[in-house]
Amino acid sequence: MRNKLIIGNWKMHGSVVENAALIEQLIQGVPSLDANTEIGVCPCAIHIPQISELLAGHDRIDIGAQNVNEHTSGAFTGEISAAMLREFPVKYVLLGHSERRTLFGETDEMIAAKFVAVANEQMTPVLCIGESLQQREQNKTESVLLSQLESVLKVTGKESFSKAVIAYEPIWAIGTGKTATPEQAQAVHQVLRHWLATHLGEVSQRMQILYGGSVKPDNAKTLFSQNDIDGGLIGGASLNAEAFLGICEAAQ
Ligand code: 13P
């Protein structure tokens, strides 16, 4: 049995005041949730110290980062290394989010290098993959996703790869209000699980594969009840405590 995992990706939202209110509401709501539901929040990097302090002593909510630089240190103005994240209680690092791929030109090679940097610091990579609407319409969904996975696996090797979380986020469903139907999402997750089983063996049964893209409290339950959907990566709805907790509840 895999635990369900719900991660909130706050993207470039939040402020010191807003974060304090949101975290307080989450801390109050989380004890009523099943202990097997794992929960994480990914604030902006500048807010990680604040969230670390707010969550000190509250082990039900883990912290994630939204990005990392692949180098260990050096002349990379504006960047943050994995070791810097590791100075705080950061458990997860999102990698390869479609916004990073499309808006900031991240390539599969960069994402693979970031994966290695994160794994070297004993944090958990959350490897995001997804197809565009055009790719889906051209029946390229499977080949796009598997090539995104392959390009990372060939660099990281099996052992490191098997410790990652995979997040399937169809680009056409992100922030659009359009969700993949539970059947569409399950069909893709099943392909991903099969690929993981072929390349990694038995451990694939323990790996968490999250779905992301317009997940809301009212569609979460049917998505999360699919065999190969182990939780969600939540954008917009993670900024509202009631909605995020509703989604966590749907995972039970
Ligand atoms: P939305 O939930 O706002 O569609 O965003 C999904 C996402 O990109 C999470 O990483």
Side-chain angles (χ1 to χ4, degrees):
M1 257 301 264
R2 296 177 293 269
N3 280 349
K4 289 284 195 276
L5 169 61
I6 312 294
I7 299 181
N9 173 9
W10 293 1
K11 309 194 179 182
M12 200 172 74
H13 294 287
S15 69
V16 169
V17 171
E18 287 168 1
N19 298 345
L22 178 53
I23 291 292
E24 191 187 316
Q25 292 174 70
L26 294 183
I27 288 173
Q28 280 172 9
V30 156
S32 61
L33 299 172
D34 184 311
N36 291 328
T37 308
E38 299 171 21
I39 299 162
V41 293
C42 302
C44 288
I46 196 169
H47 292 144
I48 287 175
Q50 181 204 9
I51 305 300
S52 306
E53 277 188 30
L54 292 171
L55 288 177
H58 297 280
D59 60 1
R60 287 297 313 279
I61 306 176
D62 292 309
I63 300 175
Q66 298 176 17
N67 185 28
V68 69
N69 186 274
E70 59 271 39
H71 298 97
T72 49
S73 65
F76 301 104
T77 301
E79 293 295 281
I80 296 173
S81 72
M84 290 169 187
L85 292 177
R86 196 70 186 102
E87 290 184 288
F88 296 90
V90 172
K91 176 169 180 181
Y92 300 106
V93 183
L94 306 185
L95 296 176
H97 192 282
S98 62
E99 286 149 20
R100 302 253 13 126
R101 292 179 193 258
T102 57
L103 304 174
F104 301 98
E106 287 193 11
T107 61
D108 284 331
E109 291 70 29
M110 286 163 74
I111 293 159
K114 286 174 185 228
F115 188 118
V116 172
V118 168
N120 285 344
E121 290 294 337
Q122 280 75 49
M123 294 179 289
T124 302
V126 179
L127 177 59
C128 305
I129 57 174
E131 84 286 4
S132 66
L133 186 57
Q134 196 190 25
Q135 289 164 333
R136 175 164 278 263
E137 286 171 350
Q138 295 170 342
N139 282 329
K140 291 187 182 152
T141 301
E142 192 171 320
S143 63
V144 167
L145 299 176
L146 299 187
S147 118
Q148 287 172 342
L149 291 178
E150 260 152 29
S151 60
V152 174
L153 175 63
K154 77 173 185 223
V155 174
T156 63
K158 291 184 188 182
E159 178 159 351
S160 172
F161 197 91
S162 65
K163 294 185 184 135
V165 171
I166 308 296
Y168 168 54
E169 299 205 302
I171 299 173
W172 47 272
I174 295 179
T176 57
K178 274 190 211 157
T179 331
T181 64
E183 295 74 25
Q184 272 176 326
Q186 166 58 23
V188 170
H189 281 232
Q190 198 174 357
V191 168
L192 300 177
R193 180 93 53 206
H194 180 74
W195 183 91
L196 292 171
T198 307
H199 290 82
L200 306 172
E202 188 60 25
V203 71
S204 61
Q205 297 308 317
R206 295 195 291 278
M207 291 177 71
Q208 290 163 314
I209 310 180
L210 311 185
Y211 169 80
S214 300
V215 178
K216 308 282 181 237
D218 59 0
N219 60 22
K221 203 165 189 76
T222 45
L223 282 163
F224 299 163
S225 60
Q226 304 298 311
N227 271 350
D228 291 292
I229 302 185
D230 305 312
L233 183 54
I234 319 298
S238 70
L239 299 169
N240 176 291
E242 198 185 327
F244 188 63
L245 289 167
I247 291 169
C248 295
E249 215 164 283
Q252 310 191 66

